[in-house]
Amino acid sequence: MASAQLRSKIDIRPALTLLITASLMLGTVNARAETAPGKKMPPPIVPIESVKTASVTIDQTFSGVTQAERQVDIRAQVSGILKTRAYVEGQKVDKDTPLFVIDDKPYVAALNEAIANQSSAEAALNSAQRNWNRIKTLFSKGVASVKERDDAQSALEMAQAAVKVAQAKRVAAKINVDYTRINAPIAGIAGRRTVAVGNLVNVGDKLTQIEAIDPIQVILTTSADNPYADSPALKPGPNHPIPATLLYGAEGSKRVEGQLNYRAVSIDPNTNSITLRGIFPNPDQTLQPNEYVRVNVAVDKLDAALIVPQTALTSGIRPGSHAVYTVDSQNKITLTPVELGPMSDQGQVIKSGLSAGQRIVTDGLVKLRPDIVVEPYKAGKE
């Protein structure tokens, strides 16, 4: 019984091998039949358009860095103990918002002394005035001498000068008292304090900083070799602002319209670049100083320019050259070299190599090769 089962298993294996071999041979025959020389592949289906002319705007995009439109260091103008800090660090403050208070006791005392000295000087002036009036009358009657008249006049003039000195000292003392209360000179974002309350501050010590960021400015550069460097669009000034668009966020998804209003007179000899400045509204303080952004500027306009989609471009025969696939009346394609102009708001400008009305393949270039026939793409065709 066991021997019969063993013979049965041994007999099955050659049959299975024969069956698998036959299947493989049949598949090979079918594959050869499908790739037989007489069977042609269908022509590639590609989108084809006629080259057109259009009036276009040439844009250039520059990299830049945001900066505060104004930046003010808040410094102590009198010495003393810092008593209070009245603002919240990092928050927006309005002009004249209280920031710090320095102990004013010595300055109030100096002011009171100056007020008293002014009162004393004014009293002395009144006395000198009365004496002058009396001596002048007596001199007119021939009773007082010339010396007495001159002495009385000199005393009056000295008293008048002393009052002016006392008034000036009172004003200076009042200014020092006012300096003990430090308010925001501009509206903006108040920075972190640099001196803690309770410390002695001296004249000139920096207490904090305020940055005005609405509007915000952007400092950008362009190469002096830029073909548009001397065009009016890149020569802004206070009386000749140039419209510009600030791009920021993920892939420049956010846009702010503003203007360029400054161009440096000289070229940076180290980088061969020209510095420009743009001003852009920033009411929500979304943009912060020292952010890297891009600025788009329309640098030129062209009439009747030849335009092709960027997807229609491919590499030419020579390294670094460009070409497009032109299509004849029989839908046969030819690799045609072209010379590129600038990129415009409507597509790539072609300087030479094409003429209006020529048909070109606008996409799907990877499946093409020169001198083959293609089938124009029709909307709705699978």
Side-chain angles (χ1 to χ4, degrees), residues 11-350:
D11 293 339
I12 291 173
R13 290 178 181 175
L16 290 174
T17 301
L18 182 60
L19 179 61
I20 292 172
T21 302
S23 298
L24 292 173
M25 292 177 64
L26 180 60
T28 302
V29 170
N30 291 336
R32 289 177 179 174
E34 290 178 358
T35 58
K39 187 171 183 179
K40 295 182 179 180
M41 296 295 292
I45 301 175
V46 291
I48 295 175
E49 295 180 6
S50 297
V51 178
K52 298 180 180 179
T53 61
S55 296
V56 298
T57 299
I58 307 302
D59 294 336
Q60 285 192 342
T61 301
F62 307 93
S63 297
V65 180
T66 58
Q67 289 185 0
E69 194 271 333
R70 293 181 65 190
Q71 183 173 292
V72 178
D73 289 342
I74 307 301
R75 298 182 181 274
Q77 293 179 278
V78 292
S79 300
I81 300 297
L82 192 63
K83 290 181 62 177
T84 62
R85 171 173 60 85
Y87 75 98
V88 178
E89 297 168 313
Q91 287 193 353
K92 182 180 179 180
V93 295
D94 296 325
K95 188 176 183 300
D96 296 326
T97 297
L99 301 177
F100 297 97
V101 175
I102 296 174
D103 184 15
D104 65 353
K105 292 185 182 67
Y107 300 104
V108 171
L111 175 60
N112 291 333
E113 181 181 3
I115 292 173
N117 289 338
Q118 181 180 341
S119 298
S120 176
E122 289 172 348
L125 174 60
N126 292 334
S127 176
Q129 184 67 55
R130 290 191 295 270
N131 185 54
W132 163 249
N133 292 337
R134 182 175 63 256
I135 295 300
K136 183 173 63 173
T137 301
L138 293 175
F139 180 79
S140 64
K141 296 179 179 180
V143 176
S145 66
V146 173
K147 183 178 183 308
E148 289 176 326
R149 184 201 64 181
D150 292 345
D151 289 345
Q153 186 175 9
S154 298
L156 175 61
E157 292 170 349
M158 292 177 63
Q160 290 172 337
V163 168
K164 292 181 180 179
V165 171
Q167 289 173 339
K169 289 183 176 180
R170 178 177 178 173
V171 170
K174 179 63 169 60
I175 290 174
N176 286 336
V177 171
D178 293 340
Y179 281 163
T180 62
R181 285 165 172 76
I182 302 170
N183 299 331
I186 63 171
I189 304 299
R192 185 174 60 88
R193 52 89 178 154
T194 58
V195 180
V197 171
N199 283 281
L200 174 67
V201 295
N202 296 309
V203 175
D205 286 353
K206 182 178 177 179
L207 305 179
T208 189
Q209 185 180 72
I210 295 179
E211 294 180 297
I213 60 174
D214 181 27
I216 197 165
Q217 66 177 355
V218 176
I219 304 302
L220 52 103
T221 58
T222 184
S223 171
D225 297 328
N226 183 342
Y228 296 101
D230 292 326
S231 68
L234 293 183
K235 286 188 174 181
N239 299 321
H240 178 56
I242 303 299
T245 303
L246 186 148
L247 308 173
Y248 69 103
E251 298 181 355
S253 57
K254 299 179 180 179
R255 305 166 64 92
V256 178
E257 300 300 326
Q259 60 185 20
L260 303 182
N261 66 355
Y262 168 80
R263 169 175 163 144
V265 175
S266 59
I267 297 173
D268 188 329
N270 297 317
T271 60
N272 192 39
S273 61
I274 302 168
T275 300
L276 303 162
R277 180 184 65 194
I279 297 292
F280 300 89
N282 188 33
D284 299 328
Q285 283 101 45
T286 304
L287 292 163
Q288 299 292 316
N290 300 319
E291 287 189 39
Y292 287 97
V293 295
R294 292 180 297 156
V295 177
N296 185 268
V297 182
V299 295
D300 198 8
K301 289 185 178 181
L302 300 178
D303 296 326
L306 290 175
I307 305 297
V308 300
Q310 201 167 18
T311 53
L313 298 173
T314 187
S315 299
I317 298 175
R318 299 188 308 277
S321 64
H322 299 86
V324 297
Y325 282 108
T326 54
V327 186
D328 64 14
S329 59
Q330 303 301 316
N331 292 335
K332 183 179 179 181
I333 64 173
T334 302
L335 187 64
T336 303
V338 293
E339 183 181 0
L340 302 185
M343 179 61 67
S344 75
D345 58 340
Q346 298 185 44
Q348 178 65 56
V349 175
I350 301 298

Side-chain angles (χ1 to χ4, degrees), residues 41-46 333 364 367-369 372-377:
M41 296 295 292
I45 301 175
V46 291
I333 64 173
K367 54 187 175 183
L368 303 182
R369 65 181 186 276
I372 67 171
V373 175
V374 296
E375 180 180 343
Y377 168 79

